[in-house]
Amino acid sequence: MPWTGKLYDIFQYAAAANTASLAEYTGWRIPSYFELTGLLDCEAPTGYPDSTAFPGWAVSPVHCSTTQPADANISQAVAFGGGAAAGSYDKTIFESTYVLLVRGG
């Protein structure tokens, strides 16, 4: 799913989830870079979040709402698996990047 600049981007996805009251909740949003990196299990070989809290996690990289500080046209992402790494993507180009919605904060 693209970050922005396309007909259906991650922010429109969050808005649609709120309109539909996904799981009977509203307030869905795209997490920040720091929120996503907070999910990393640095003691696990894959870096995937705790399997008890997040069963079946197997997606990577994951978009976040954070823009790369050095270039406003680039978004940041977190790559889980084999440890973890930050990624960066052109906001207007479709990438094989996932989106995770969160609430609160």
Side-chain angles (χ1 to χ4, degrees):
M1 178 170 277
W3 199 85
T4 192
K6 302 290 182 187
L7 179 60
Y8 199 64
D9 62 33
I10 65 173
F11 299 101
Q12 292 170 3
Y13 178 69
N18 286 316
T19 299
S21 296
L22 180 66
E24 300 182 14
Y25 292 102
T26 57
W28 294 105
R29 62 182 175 76
I30 309 302
S32 72
Y33 175 77
F34 293 107
E35 288 172 314
L36 277 179
T37 56
L39 296 177
L40 293 170
D41 182 350
C42 296
E43 294 180 0
T46 62
Y48 289 153
D50 178 85
S51 61
T52 302
F54 298 94
W57 184 290
V59 298
S60 187
V62 179
H63 276 302
C64 57
S65 62
T66 308
T67 295
Q68 186 174 356
D71 188 343
N73 297 313
I74 304 294
S75 69
Q76 290 186 303
V78 176
F80 296 89
S88 57
Y89 299 88
D90 184 312
K91 290 179 179 179
T92 61
I93 297 174
F94 177 78
E95 300 283 349
S96 296
T97 309
Y98 296 89
V99 64
L100 172 72
L101 296 179
V102 297
R103 294 183 321 109

